[in-house]
Amino acid sequence: GTCMTVRGIDHFNIRASHELLEQVRAFYCDVIGLVVGDRPPFDSAGYWLYAGDRAVLHLSLAGDDEQLASNVATTLNHIALACTDRAEMERKLAVCGVNFKTARVPATNVAQLFLKDPAGNGIELSFADEPA
């Protein structure tokens, strides 16, 4: 028989109320640099945000009857996005008033910025080939 193989992460999805969804969209576009692009004609409102030709973040409007956890402890700590131009990203975060922590992956040339989006989700911006 055929074996299922996972090739990698395709996208992550954030569901939120209309107001929060617009804040989240603005953050990932204006601060992080993703771009709103084509989205299939779903019945519900939302956005697909692209990094190059990949829709890495799907934003969808939560139903009125949907119970959305807010600031609840979860085991999902963060989503990591591979990025370039750390200096420019740090400048943009500072200008936008976004707090972040820096770290490094030991024994590698990978620098990390850790922050939260407007919905409180953990985000890592990962920069490879950044010598100490």
Side-chain angles (χ1 to χ4, degrees):
T2 56
C3 225
M4 185 213 68
T5 57
V6 176
R7 296 184 323 180
I9 292 175
D10 183 78
H11 69 275
F12 64 112
N13 175 279
I14 295 174
R15 292 176 71 77
S17 66
H18 178 74
E19 183 182 358
L20 183 55
L21 203 66
E22 292 302 321
Q23 292 174 18
V24 168
R25 178 198 51 75
F27 174 83
Y28 281 98
C29 291
D30 301 345
V31 179
I32 303 300
L34 300 181
V35 176
V36 173
D38 288 338
R39 178 179 184 260
F42 294 109
D43 288 339
S44 61
Y47 303 97
W48 278 15
L49 304 186
Y50 286 73
D53 61 357
R54 297 206 42 160
V56 297
L57 172 54
H58 297 179
L59 302 180
S60 50
L61 187 62
D64 292 335
D65 58 348
E66 198 170 338
Q67 291 297 309
L68 291 175
S70 76
N71 301 318
V72 166
T74 173
T75 57
L76 179 64
N77 182 265
H78 65 270
I79 300 292
L81 300 173
C83 301
T84 58
D85 200 345
R86 177 184 173 192
E88 172 61 16
M89 181 60 76
E90 289 191 4
R91 185 196 67 76
K92 203 184 232 181
L93 292 172
V95 165
C96 295
V98 177
N99 293 320
F100 63 92
K101 293 186 306 198
T102 61
R104 299 195 71 83
V105 179
T108 72
N109 284 337
V110 177
Q112 302 162 294
L113 305 181
F114 290 98
L115 51 121
K116 298 260 193 229
D117 73 13
N121 300 301
I123 301 295
E124 171 190 334
L125 304 179
S126 179
F127 300 84
D129 302 317
E130 295 257 344

